[in-house]
Amino acid sequence: MALKSNRLDLRMDPKNKSLLERAATILGLSITAYATSALVNNAQEVIDRFERTVLSDRDRDLFLEALDSADKPNDALLSAVSDYKATVE
């Protein structure tokens, strides 16, 4: 079991606290357990929403088509790779 050594203090109006207590009671949780669960779940949803890109079917198809039809490297790119390899080696 992980040690719970960090603390988060919140101030809220009585109406919001009552709402949290009611929800916690319905689920059979303490207000601390309920609030922690709700905050963590919401935080994960926010992070997932901003760290993931969801493409429409059309955009996915265009992206995959672009990958499949990639042009071959041009002379400038081949020269740059050659210069890089010479520098690294």
Side-chain angles (χ1 to χ4, degrees):
M1 181 179 219
L3 291 176
K4 297 177 183 176
S5 61
N6 292 313
R7 184 173 183 88
L8 176 66
D9 294 313
L10 300 171
R11 292 196 178 274
M12 64 180 66
D13 64 55
K15 184 178 177 182
N16 286 338
K17 184 178 180 195
S18 177
L19 185 67
L20 292 177
E21 288 171 332
R22 184 173 173 201
T25 300
I26 289 170
L27 294 175
L29 299 172
S30 69
I31 190 168
T32 299
Y34 174 75
T36 300
S37 175
L39 287 169
V40 169
N41 288 338
N42 184 264
Q44 190 61 57
E45 287 175 14
V46 168
I47 291 167
D48 288 347
R49 186 170 54 237
F50 285 92
E51 288 187 346
R52 185 176 13 163
T53 301
V54 178
L55 300 176
S56 68
D57 289 344
R58 182 186 70 82
D59 290 341
R60 180 207 57 230
D61 292 343
L62 288 171
F63 177 74
L64 292 174
E65 182 181 323
L67 290 177
D68 288 341
S69 66
D71 293 332
K72 294 186 179 195
N74 62 22
D75 290 338
L77 181 57
L78 292 172
S79 176
V81 169
S82 179
D83 292 345
Y84 172 77
K85 285 181 179 178
T87 302
V88 171
E89 294 172 356

